[in-house]
PDB file of all heavy atoms in Angstrom:
ATOM      1  N   TYR A  24      33.533 -15.680  98.688  1.00 83.00           N
ATOM      2  CA  TYR A  24      32.821 -14.630  97.960  1.00 83.00           C
ATOM      3  C   TYR A  24      33.602 -14.238  96.697  1.00 83.00           C
ATOM      4  O   TYR A  24      33.018 -14.122  95.613  1.00 83.00           O
ATOM      5  CB  TYR A  24      32.604 -13.407  98.858  1.00 83.00           C
ATOM      6  CG  TYR A  24      31.914 -12.281  98.135  1.00 83.00           C
ATOM      7  CD1 TYR A  24      30.529 -12.280  97.986  1.00 83.00           C
ATOM      8  CD2 TYR A  24      32.636 -11.229  97.585  1.00 83.00           C
ATOM      9  CE1 TYR A  24      29.882 -11.263  97.316  1.00 83.00           C
ATOM     10  CE2 TYR A  24      31.998 -10.211  96.904  1.00 83.00           C
ATOM     11  CZ  TYR A  24      30.624 -10.225  96.776  1.00 83.00           C
ATOM     12  OH  TYR A  24      29.999  -9.219  96.098  1.00 83.00           O
ATOM     13  N   GLU A  25      34.906 -14.033  96.842  1.00 87.00           N
ATOM     14  CA  GLU A  25      35.736 -13.668  95.694  1.00 87.00           C
ATOM     15  C   GLU A  25      35.743 -14.775  94.647  1.00 87.00           C
ATOM     16  O   GLU A  25      35.669 -14.507  93.446  1.00 87.00           O
ATOM     17  CB  GLU A  25      37.162 -13.350  96.149  1.00 87.00           C
ATOM     18  CG  GLU A  25      37.280 -12.040  96.899  1.00 87.00           C
ATOM     19  CD  GLU A  25      38.676 -11.807  97.460  1.00 87.00           C
ATOM     20  OE1 GLU A  25      39.628 -12.477  97.008  1.00 87.00           O
ATOM     21  OE2 GLU A  25      38.802 -10.960  98.359  1.00 87.00           O
ATOM     22  N   LYS A  26      35.830 -16.026  95.093  1.00 88.00           N
ATOM     23  CA  LYS A  26      35.813 -17.154  94.160  1.00 88.00           C
ATOM     24  C   LYS A  26      34.475 -17.205  93.415  1.00 88.00           C
ATOM     25  O   LYS A  26      34.440 -17.373  92.187  1.00 88.00           O
ATOM     26  CB  LYS A  26      36.050 -18.460  94.922  1.00 88.00           C
ATOM     27  CG  LYS A  26      36.105 -19.674  94.035  1.00 88.00           C
ATOM     28  CD  LYS A  26      36.344 -20.938  94.842  1.00 88.00           C
ATOM     29  CE  LYS A  26      36.334 -22.150  93.940  1.00 88.00           C
ATOM     30  NZ  LYS A  26      36.499 -23.400  94.689  1.00 88.00           N
ATOM     31  N   CYS A  27      33.384 -17.036  94.123  1.00 88.00           N
ATOM     32  CA  CYS A  27      32.060 -17.026  93.486  1.00 88.00           C
ATOM     33  C   CYS A  27      31.916 -15.839  92.533  1.00 88.00           C
ATOM     34  O   CYS A  27      31.323 -15.965  91.455  1.00 88.00           O
ATOM     35  CB  CYS A  27      30.965 -16.990  94.544  1.00 88.00           C
ATOM     36  SG  CYS A  27      30.784 -18.539  95.430  1.00 88.00           S
ATOM     37  N   ALA A  28      32.444 -14.702  92.921  1.00 89.00           N
ATOM     38  CA  ALA A  28      32.374 -13.514  92.060  1.00 89.00           C
ATOM     39  C   ALA A  28      33.146 -13.746  90.764  1.00 89.00           C
ATOM     40  O   ALA A  28      32.671 -13.384  89.680  1.00 89.00           O
ATOM     41  CB  ALA A  28      32.915 -12.289  92.800  1.00 89.00           C
ATOM     42  N   ARG A  29      34.336 -14.351  90.867  1.00 91.00           N
ATOM     43  CA  ARG A  29      35.122 -14.658  89.663  1.00 91.00           C
ATOM     44  C   ARG A  29      34.372 -15.651  88.766  1.00 91.00           C
ATOM     45  O   ARG A  29      34.300 -15.501  87.553  1.00 91.00           O
ATOM     46  CB  ARG A  29      36.501 -15.198  90.034  1.00 91.00           C
ATOM     47  CG  ARG A  29      37.468 -14.142  90.517  1.00 91.00           C
ATOM     48  CD  ARG A  29      38.889 -14.683  90.614  1.00 91.00           C
ATOM     49  NE  ARG A  29      39.028 -15.872  91.458  1.00 91.00           N
ATOM     50  CZ  ARG A  29      39.262 -15.867  92.763  1.00 91.00           C
ATOM     51  NH1 ARG A  29      39.391 -14.722  93.396  1.00 91.00           N
ATOM     52  NH2 ARG A  29      39.390 -16.999  93.433  1.00 91.00           N
ATOM     53  N   THR A  30      33.809 -16.699  89.401  1.00 92.00           N
ATOM     54  CA  THR A  30      33.049 -17.697  88.642  1.00 92.00           C
ATOM     55  C   THR A  30      31.836 -17.059  87.986  1.00 92.00           C
ATOM     56  O   THR A  30      31.544 -17.316  86.816  1.00 92.00           O
ATOM     57  CB  THR A  30      32.612 -18.848  89.567  1.00 92.00           C
ATOM     58  OG1 THR A  30      33.771 -19.420  90.176  1.00 92.00           O
ATOM     59  CG2 THR A  30      31.869 -19.919  88.798  1.00 92.00           C
ATOM     60  N   SER A  31      31.153 -16.215  88.726  1.00 92.00           N
ATOM     61  CA  SER A  31      29.973 -15.528  88.188  1.00 92.00           C
ATOM     62  C   SER A  31      30.356 -14.638  87.002  1.00 92.00           C
ATOM     63  O   SER A  31      29.661 -14.614  85.981  1.00 92.00           O
ATOM     64  CB  SER A  31      29.321 -14.689  89.281  1.00 92.00           C
ATOM     65  OG  SER A  31      28.251 -13.960  88.764  1.00 92.00           O
ATOM     66  N   GLU A  32      31.453 -13.927  87.127  1.00 92.00           N
ATOM     67  CA  GLU A  32      31.924 -13.057  86.036  1.00 92.00           C
ATOM     68  C   GLU A  32      32.273 -13.883  84.798  1.00 92.00           C
ATOM     69  O   GLU A  32      31.908 -13.541  83.681  1.00 92.00           O
ATOM     70  CB  GLU A  32      33.152 -12.270  86.514  1.00 92.00           C
ATOM     71  CG  GLU A  32      33.663 -11.271  85.494  1.00 92.00           C
ATOM     72  CD  GLU A  32      34.850 -10.485  86.023  1.00 92.00           C
ATOM     73  OE1 GLU A  32      34.889 -10.194  87.234  1.00 92.00           O
ATOM     74  OE2 GLU A  32      35.730 -10.170  85.214  1.00 92.00           O
ATOM     75  N   LYS A  33      32.944 -15.002  85.026  1.00 93.00           N
ATOM     76  CA  LYS A  33      33.316 -15.897  83.928  1.00 93.00           C
ATOM     77  C   LYS A  33      32.061 -16.455  83.239  1.00 93.00           C
ATOM     78  O   LYS A  33      31.962 -16.474  82.008  1.00 93.00           O
ATOM     79  CB  LYS A  33      34.162 -17.043  84.486  1.00 93.00           C
ATOM     80  CG  LYS A  33      34.744 -17.970  83.478  1.00 93.00           C
ATOM     81  CD  LYS A  33      35.368 -19.114  84.262  1.00 93.00           C
ATOM     82  CE  LYS A  33      36.516 -19.777  83.706  1.00 93.00           C
ATOM     83  NZ  LYS A  33      37.034 -20.858  84.510  1.00 93.00           N
ATOM     84  N   LEU A  34      31.075 -16.888  84.042  1.00 93.00           N
ATOM     85  CA  LEU A  34      29.841 -17.421  83.483  1.00 93.00           C
ATOM     86  C   LEU A  34      29.039 -16.340  82.750  1.00 93.00           C
ATOM     87  O   LEU A  34      28.418 -16.614  81.717  1.00 93.00           O
ATOM     88  CB  LEU A  34      28.992 -18.062  84.579  1.00 93.00           C
ATOM     89  CG  LEU A  34      29.548 -19.362  85.159  1.00 93.00           C
ATOM     90  CD1 LEU A  34      28.730 -19.798  86.367  1.00 93.00           C
ATOM     91  CD2 LEU A  34      29.596 -20.453  84.103  1.00 93.00           C
ATOM     92  N   THR A  35      29.060 -15.129  83.262  1.00 93.00           N
ATOM     93  CA  THR A  35      28.369 -14.025  82.591  1.00 93.00           C
ATOM     94  C   THR A  35      29.002 -13.759  81.232  1.00 93.00           C
ATOM     95  O   THR A  35      28.286 -13.543  80.243  1.00 93.00           O
ATOM     96  CB  THR A  35      28.416 -12.747  83.466  1.00 93.00           C
ATOM     97  OG1 THR A  35      27.768 -13.025  84.710  1.00 93.00           O
ATOM     98  CG2 THR A  35      27.725 -11.586  82.779  1.00 93.00           C
TER      99      THR A  35
END
Side-chain angles (χ1 to χ4, degrees):
Y24 178 82
E25 288 174 17
K26 182 180 177 183
C27 288
R29 284 191 304 271
T30 303
S31 176
E32 184 178 325
K33 186 188 210 181
L34 290 172
T35 300

